[in-house]
Every structure is written in C-alpha cells, then in structure tokens.
C-alpha cells in the first residue's frame, strides 16, 4: 500500500507526539509554583541569562530588582520574594528579626578592593585610626557598614568614635566627591568604578576583615513550599558563575549593556572576584557568627544571634 504523498504518516505522527509533549511540558510549567528571585540591579538575572541558564526552566521564574541589600532583605522577610542574594552583614542585620535562612553561598576572592573604605586622594586620612571623629558614608546594614565597623575595631575604636551617614551608593559617592563625607565604605563594582575614574585611593582594604561570602537567602515559607525549585535554581546559578569566570570579557560586555558603566569597570571586578559556588559549611557559620557578634556589641542588633539556626544545608549539592 502506497504512503500518502508529502509528509509520511510517520513524520506526521512524530509532529503530533512532539506537539503533545510540548503542551504537556507547558502545562507542567504553568502548574509549578513560581520562584520569585531578587538581587541588586538584576545581577542574577543578567548573569543567568548570559550563561543560558534561563532556557528550558521547568517552572516559572520572576525576578525583582533593588538598588541595595536592605530592600532585598525587606522583600525576603515580607515574603514578597522567595530567594535573593545578600552579603553576610546584611543577612545578619535582616535575619535577626525575620525567618530567613542561608541556603547557598557564592565565594568571592577577597582582593584589596572587593570591599574597601575609599577617600579622596588629597585626604589627610592615612589609616583606620585616622577615621576617629570623621564622617563615613555607607549604606546601613551593608557590607560597607560592616567593613567600617570592623576597621574601627581593628584599631581599638568603635562605631561611636566616627560619624556615620547612611545613604545609598550613588548618594554616598556624591558626598565623598563634594567633601561632605571624609570616607566611603563600599563594595564592587563601586570600588572598581572610583579606582578607574581616579581621584580616590583605598584607605582600608577588606582583606583580612571580609570573608568574601555572598549568601543566597530564602525565607522559611519558600524553603517549605518550593524546595525543588530552590535546589534547581542554585545548581543553575553555580553553573552560571562557572561560565562567567570562563567568559569574563563577554560577560562584562553584557553587564555594561545593562548598567551603562564602562566595560572596564565590570571586567576589573570580574577578574578580581572569580565567584564560585561552595557548600554551606562551618566556615560560613563561623563568619556569620563573628559578624553577628560584632553587630550586637556595636548595638546594631539587640538580640543574641545563633548563626547555625539561620543555615539550611539541604541544598548543599554543588556541581
């Protein structure tokens, strides 16, 4: 018996099966709960998109973007997002009063400018001791805030020995440049940006004071209701960072197209940081506890903080 002309019945059957399979996958994706992800200035979305890790995701993802860590932490605590990235200091600041846990960790190389206190070239300040009585601008609860406190304590001073001006990074930068602040405690890419622009120098480096942990933080409800999505997202994120380390120039160009900053700023930051995913282990817990103890001693948080109670190791599989 002759086959019909044109496409064979086998080809048509294959198309029907493929179509049904596609519809089933689409229906499955729609049935899966949406994972809501937050990061500063869409950094995680940009990274994962560039690495191809947002293709064929078997559940919907919604990304939220904030200018700094504090609003990210607030959104996590309020349940407006499920998972987001925070430095260890902002996490302690937020988790002291909210049901949040660290579910993943990205390790950064701690270079002289990963986090730093910068001053104008002409500033008379020469070391951490000279910060006594000076105006330090940073974002409250940020890694910059932590660095400033740690730097002061390293020379026998306390937060009360300096004048803190709490602002967002862009406003802090303006204050430093116009002389209304003596020092700015900040982090990359801002440190790379001001270094490339010139006119500033590093007064205190984060080396020895900052562990280099970027935490992936989820609220308890998301951990209970979306563990499969969280586990998959963390695996994708780990692969995305590995890709970015192998394609630094390409990734830096992508970042620059979103940020409007020169490619050189992102390239400098990426070359220094080389982020990679690590397990949530004892070094992370110990660093969180040290940070919490410092914050409590300085009166930033009031209650005692048990770092181990804010860790969830069930997602520790690292590819």
């Amino acid at each position: 018996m002759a086959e019909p002309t044109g496409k064979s019945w086998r080809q048509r059957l294959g198309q029907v099966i493929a179509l049904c399979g596609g519809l089933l996958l689409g229906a499955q994706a729609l049935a899966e709960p949406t994972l809501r992800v937050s990061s500063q200035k869409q950094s995680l979305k940009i990274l994962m998109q560039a690495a191809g890790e947002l293709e064929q995701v078997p559940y919907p993802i919604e990304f939220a973007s904030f200018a700094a860590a504090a609003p990210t932490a607030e959104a996590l605590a309020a349940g407006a997002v499920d998972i987001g990235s925070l430095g260890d200091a902002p996490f302690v600041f937020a988790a002291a009063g909210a049901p949040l846990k660290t579910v993943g960790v990205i390790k950064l190389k701690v270079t002289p400018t990963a986090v730093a206190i910068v001053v104008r070239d002409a500033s008379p300040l020469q070391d951490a001791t000279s910060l006594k009585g000076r105006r330090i601008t940073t974002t409250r609860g940020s890694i910059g805030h932590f660095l400033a406190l740690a730097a002061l304590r390293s020379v026998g001073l306390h937060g009360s020995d300096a004048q803190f001006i709490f602002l967002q990074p862009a406003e802090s930068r303006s204050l430093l440049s116009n002389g209304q602040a003596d020092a700015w405690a900040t982090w990359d890419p801002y440190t790379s940006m001001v270094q490339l622009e010139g006119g500033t120098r590093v007064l205190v480096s984060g080396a020895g004071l900052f562990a280099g942990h970027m935490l992936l933080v989820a609220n308890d409800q998301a951990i209970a209701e979306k563990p499969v999505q969280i586990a998959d997202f963390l695996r994708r994120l780990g692969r995305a960072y590995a890709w970015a380390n192998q394609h630094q120039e390409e990734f830096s160009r992508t970042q620059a197209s979103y940020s409007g900053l020169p490619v050189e700023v992102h390239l400098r930051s990426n070359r220094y940081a080389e982020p990679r995913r690590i397990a949530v282990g004892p070094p992370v817990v110990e660093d969180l506890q040290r940070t919490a103890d410092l914050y409590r001693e300085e009166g930033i948080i009031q209650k005692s903080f048990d770092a181990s109670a804010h860790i969830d190791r069930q997602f520790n599989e690292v590819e």
Side-chain angles (χ1 to χ4, degrees):
M1 182 175 177
E3 288 185 342
T5 58
K7 293 183 179 178
S8 71
W9 66 271
R10 292 186 179 87
Q11 289 174 311
R12 294 181 185 278
L13 180 60
Q15 289 175 337
V16 170
I17 292 172
L19 178 61
C20 291
L23 290 172
L24 286 171
L25 285 173
Q28 181 182 6
L30 289 173
E32 293 289 346
T34 298
L35 187 68
R36 301 166 301 170
V37 179
S38 173
S39 61
Q40 294 184 43
K41 298 188 176 181
Q42 295 282 24
S43 58
L44 296 186
K45 180 179 181 180
I46 293 167
L47 166 67
M48 297 180 74
Q49 204 163 44
E53 289 294 340
L54 293 184
E55 298 172 6
Q56 298 181 340
V57 181
Y59 52 89
I61 300 181
E62 290 179 359
F63 286 92
S65 177
F66 298 98
T72 296
E74 290 169 8
L76 283 163
V81 296
D82 301 313
I83 186 170
S85 58
L86 292 174
D88 50 1
F91 171 64
V92 167
F93 187 68
L100 303 178
K101 289 187 174 64
T102 291
V103 295
V105 182
I106 303 299
K107 178 74 172 179
L108 307 150
K109 283 187 177 179
V110 182
T111 63
T113 57
V115 292
I117 301 175
V118 297
V119 296
R120 297 183 303 281
D121 276 338
S123 171
L125 278 62
Q126 295 300 321
D127 52 28
T129 304
S130 60
L131 287 169
K132 184 175 182 179
R134 299 291 184 164
R135 299 162 299 178
I136 305 172
T137 185
T138 190
T139 304
R140 181 173 174 81
S142 69
I143 190 61
H145 188 188
F146 169 80
L147 175 62
L149 292 172
L152 289 166
R153 291 171 66 91
S154 72
V155 293
L157 298 173
H158 295 276
S160 58
D161 291 313
Q163 302 175 46
F164 279 89
I165 305 170
F166 296 119
L167 295 169
Q168 294 303 315
E171 298 168 301
S172 290
R173 180 186 176 195
S174 296
L175 246 63
L176 181 68
S177 64
N178 65 26
Q180 291 180 284
D182 300 300
W184 177 21
T186 189
W187 55 91
D188 250 338
Y190 304 108
T191 45
S192 290
M193 181 172 61
V194 295
Q195 290 291 291
L196 289 170
E197 287 174 348
T200 62
R201 57 184 169 83
V202 172
L203 179 74
V204 179
S205 165
L209 299 173
F210 169 57
H213 295 147
M214 185 184 83
L215 311 179
L216 282 307
V217 177
N219 55 53
D220 287 354
Q221 183 177 355
I223 293 170
E225 296 178 357
K226 304 177 184 180
V228 174
Q229 288 90 332
I230 290 173
D232 178 74
F233 178 81
L234 291 173
R235 285 192 292 269
R236 289 174 183 272
L237 187 61
R239 293 195 299 263
Y241 275 114
W243 175 89
N245 289 334
Q246 295 169 0
H247 301 83
Q248 290 179 346
E249 291 192 12
E250 180 183 346
F251 180 47
S252 298
R253 287 194 296 271
T254 300
Q255 288 176 299
S257 70
Y258 284 92
S259 71
L261 296 174
V263 174
E264 291 76 17
V265 170
H266 292 290
L267 189 56
R268 185 180 191 275
S269 178
N270 291 330
R271 281 177 174 165
Y272 279 146
E274 293 189 357
R276 58 187 176 86
R277 187 181 171 205
I278 63 171
V280 182
V284 177
V285 180
E286 291 166 9
D287 181 58
L288 280 175
Q289 193 62 59
R290 281 193 297 269
T291 301
D293 292 344
L294 183 152
Y295 267 13
R296 187 160 184 256
E297 290 166 11
E298 288 290 336
I300 306 300
I301 60 175
Q302 303 303 317
K303 298 179 181 179
S304 60
F305 185 95
D306 179 6
S308 61
H310 292 276
I311 295 292
D312 194 319
R313 293 182 172 88
Q314 70 174 290
F315 306 103
N316 258 353
E317 176 192 353
V318 176
E319 292 185 354

